[in-house]
Amino acid sequence: MYKSILIPTDGSALSRRSARDAVQLARELDARVTAFYVAPTYRIEVYEDYVPPNLVTPQQHAAMAKKTAQRHLDFIKKTATDSDVRCRGYYVMSDDPADAIVKAAHKYKCDLIYMGSHGRSGWTKLLLGSQTSKVLTRSRIPVLIHR
């Protein structure tokens, strides 16, 4: 069965519920988990001579992204530790979270991606897009969707 499960997180309540269930599955399968967070890349929006007053430097952005990632990854790590499941955590910066998730699954030799979905359909899904849908279409390994 599965021996290494990637758990992508965005820190949302749905993502935390999904992570808890993923850790439970890993415990039942005697698998390890890899917690994974994708932070947005540094982007500066300057319009001609206007510079936003809340502008942060690339270094400040990187520090904030690391702090946020650590908080979200620590939740999964604690959940795994409490359930006696081996866990490691990583984060990257990317503007394409779905691509980063698929690459991480390959890089960390995961044989299952376990992620949450808001269950949107129809126009809402088309308008808002879905990282889960993108992972489903791009991944060559199984993806288990938690709704």
Side-chain angles (χ1 to χ4, degrees), residues 84-124:
D84 258 353
V85 172
R86 293 167 295 166
C87 181
R88 55 192 179 171
Y90 303 98
Y91 80 98
V92 297
M93 287 191 187
S94 174
D95 286 329
D96 188 350
D99 186 56
I101 290 166
V102 171
K103 285 179 179 176
H106 177 73
K107 180 177 181 178
Y108 302 119
K109 297 178 179 27
C110 298
D111 50 12
L112 176 69
I113 300 171
Y114 192 119
M115 62 190 302
S117 173
H118 289 286
R120 293 185 181 101
S121 62
W123 286 106
T124 309

Side-chain angles (χ1 to χ4, degrees), residues 28-39:
E28 292 170 10
L29 296 175
D30 193 29
R32 73 169 192 254
V33 297
T34 301
F36 189 69
Y37 177 76
V38 181

Side-chain angles (χ1 to χ4, degrees), residues 27 64 133:
R27 191 177 92 172
M64 289 186 297
S133 292

Side-chain angles (χ1 to χ4, degrees), residues 1-145:
M1 201 49 145
Y2 303 112
K3 293 294 173 197
S4 180
I5 302 172
L6 183 74
I7 307 174
T9 183
D10 62 5
S12 66
L14 172 66
S15 188
R16 288 190 302 274
R17 282 193 306 273
S18 178
R20 282 198 274 301
D21 288 352
V23 167
Q24 180 62 34
L25 177 64
R27 191 177 92 172
E28 292 170 10
L29 296 175
D30 193 29
R32 73 169 192 254
V33 297
T34 301
F36 189 69
Y37 177 76
V38 181
T41 57
Y42 180 75
R43 187 174 297 223
I44 183 170
E45 307 265 341
V46 177
Y47 304 97
E48 294 184 20
D49 291 337
Y50 175 74
V51 177
N54 59 346
L55 183 68
V56 297
T57 67
Q59 296 80 8
Q60 290 169 318
H61 175 77
M64 289 186 297
K66 182 177 182 177
K67 184 177 179 179
T68 301
Q70 206 58 54
R71 185 175 69 247
H72 298 320
L73 296 174
D74 284 348
F75 173 82
I76 296 173
K77 288 178 183 178
K78 180 179 180 343
T79 302
T81 300
D82 292 348
S83 296
D84 258 353
V85 172
R86 293 167 295 166
C87 181
R88 55 192 179 171
Y90 303 98
Y91 80 98
V92 297
M93 287 191 187
S94 174
D95 286 329
D96 188 350
D99 186 56
I101 290 166
V102 171
K103 285 179 179 176
H106 177 73
K107 180 177 181 178
Y108 302 119
K109 297 178 179 27
C110 298
D111 50 12
L112 176 69
I113 300 171
Y114 192 119
M115 62 190 302
S117 173
H118 289 286
R120 293 185 181 101
S121 62
W123 286 106
T124 309
K125 182 178 178 181
L126 284 174
L127 293 173
L128 297 176
S130 167
Q131 295 305 317
T132 303
S133 292
K134 291 175 186 175
V135 169
L136 276 170
T137 59
R138 296 176 188 178
S139 178
R140 294 186 182 205
I141 67 167
V143 180
L144 195 151
I145 307 302

